[in-house]
Amino acid sequence: MNIITAKNIHRKFGEGNLETHILKGIDLEVAEGEFVAIMGKSGAGKSTLMYQLSILDEPSEGEVIINGTNIIDLDEKERTTFRLNTLGYIFQNYALVPDLSSTENVMLPLLMRGLAWEEAKKTAQEVIDSVGMVEKYENLPAELSGGEQQRISIARAIAGKPKILFADEPTANLDSVSGQQVIDLMTELNKRHNQTIVMVTHEREYAMGCNRIFHMEDGLIIDVEVLRNYGRGE
Ligand SMILES: Nc1ncnc2c1ncn2[C@@H]1O[C@H](COP(=O)(O)OP(=O)(O)O)[C@@H](O)[C@H]1O
Ligand SMILES: [Mg+2]
């Protein structure tokens, strides 16, 4: 089953003479359990596409269907709930709350989903253990290396068992060793828990564990490279 279907996605910014057409008609499908990468030069529209697929933005034209829900049918409040319950996000700058400990950062979305404090704390610490960050429960983000901060941000993204994990250049600010650890962690999540992942990356070697690579240029997908067929009848 396809967990993401994007049909003819366009995204324009500005109006009149200042209008810029950034996404120019994107069609793509991602199967449940698939790990896909989006690659392309800077400015190709990768982040803009991720925002459309992950409901952080709304296309000017076209449809996004996620887990059977056509996003057009949701109002703003329903979108927020949908994001919280269905999607997980990993950003290149980690986006952790600086004044909160690792545990509290991971607890945050769980508390927003209505979990009781103790339950959220227990779950958060289990997930922190699972990303290899045992004993770093109380550290503030500033007391962690970049790679460790990204692992906490992954813990936060997966704590609520999202249907889809979106990662926009998760290794952009990391050295190659920490970057590879982050990629290994995501690959393991995909293999072991059948986690669907959509990842933007600049580094081809980081995309080698993926099922397919969508290559973007100037607001369009110009090539779909199949590395390992998945859930597509082969
Ligand atoms: N909110 C916005 N308003 C105007 N232009 C934007 C906006 N967001 C992105 N763009 C433009 O869209 C193009 C693609 O950006 P982006 O999706 O961030 O590319 P990538 O992630 O591939 O580097 C760039 O030229 C960028 O300046
Ligand atoms: Mg980008």
Side-chain angles (χ1 to χ4, degrees):
M1 184 196 121
N2 287 323
I3 194 157
I4 304 176
T5 304
K7 291 184 192 162
N8 193 31
I9 299 292
H10 289 255
R11 183 64 168 106
K12 297 170 183 171
F13 294 105
E15 281 178 13
N17 286 339
L18 296 176
E19 187 180 272
T20 48
H21 199 161
I22 302 299
L23 298 181
K24 300 174 177 170
I26 302 259
D27 292 284
L28 67 81
E29 293 176 342
V30 176
E32 185 156 27
E34 200 175 12
F35 186 178
V36 300
I38 300 172
M39 296 192 70
K41 290 199 182 113
S42 182
K46 305 180 298 293
S47 293
T48 307
L49 175 59
M50 282 286 266
Y51 292 144
Q52 315 308 313
L53 301 178
S54 62
I55 329 295
L56 294 173
D57 189 25
E58 209 175 327
S60 311
E61 194 185 320
E63 289 188 332
V64 178
I65 299 154
I66 294 197
N67 200 28
T69 300
N70 192 329
I71 301 308
I72 279 175
D73 297 333
L74 305 180
D75 64 28
E76 200 44 55
K77 199 164 170 241
E78 290 168 330
R79 271 173 209 230
T80 305
T81 310
F82 187 84
R83 281 195 290 261
L84 196 57
N85 291 334
T86 318
L87 310 177
Y89 299 92
I90 301 168
F91 301 99
Q92 68 178 60
N93 60 0
Y94 328 126
L96 298 171
V97 182
D99 295 337
L100 298 182
S101 69
S102 301
T103 304
E104 290 163 342
N105 263 288
V106 178
M107 286 170 70
L108 214 53
L110 299 173
L111 294 172
M112 284 169 72
R113 287 168 71 159
L115 255 72
W117 186 272
E118 283 308 319
E119 198 184 344
K121 187 170 176 179
K122 184 167 172 278
T123 303
Q125 293 189 338
E126 281 167 7
V127 180
I128 290 173
D129 292 348
S130 79
V131 300
M133 293 284 289
V134 189
E135 289 173 17
K136 303 279 183 175
Y137 298 147
E138 299 308 325
N139 295 54
L140 296 175
E143 297 166 346
L144 298 170
S145 72
E148 290 174 333
Q149 289 184 59
Q150 192 59 300
R151 280 193 274 160
I152 294 298
S153 106
I154 293 173
R156 177 185 57 188
I158 61 174
K161 300 198 189 318
K163 299 288 284 184
I164 309 166
L165 198 53
F166 290 97
D168 193 351
E169 302 204 36
T171 61
N173 295 323
L174 301 177
D175 61 70
S176 59
V177 172
S178 321
Q180 189 60 53
Q181 286 173 346
V182 162
I183 297 296
D184 290 347
L185 180 55
M186 294 206 295
T187 307
E188 187 190 307
L189 282 169
N190 171 252
K191 293 226 167 78
R192 212 180 273 179
H193 302 289
N194 217 28
Q195 176 70 59
T196 308
I197 305 177
V198 181
M199 172 178 76
V200 173
T201 182
H202 265 303
E203 307 289 331
R204 189 174 168 79
E205 58 174 292
Y206 288 158
M208 296 322 287
C210 294
N211 297 107
R212 290 184 297 155
I213 305 176
F214 297 105
H215 292 277
M216 279 189 82
E217 204 175 289
D218 197 18
L220 286 168
I221 291 174
I222 53 157
D223 184 36
V224 183
E225 186 182 348
V226 180
L227 300 178
R228 266 173 293 281
N229 241 312
Y230 181 87
R232 289 172 191 281
E234 252 190 64

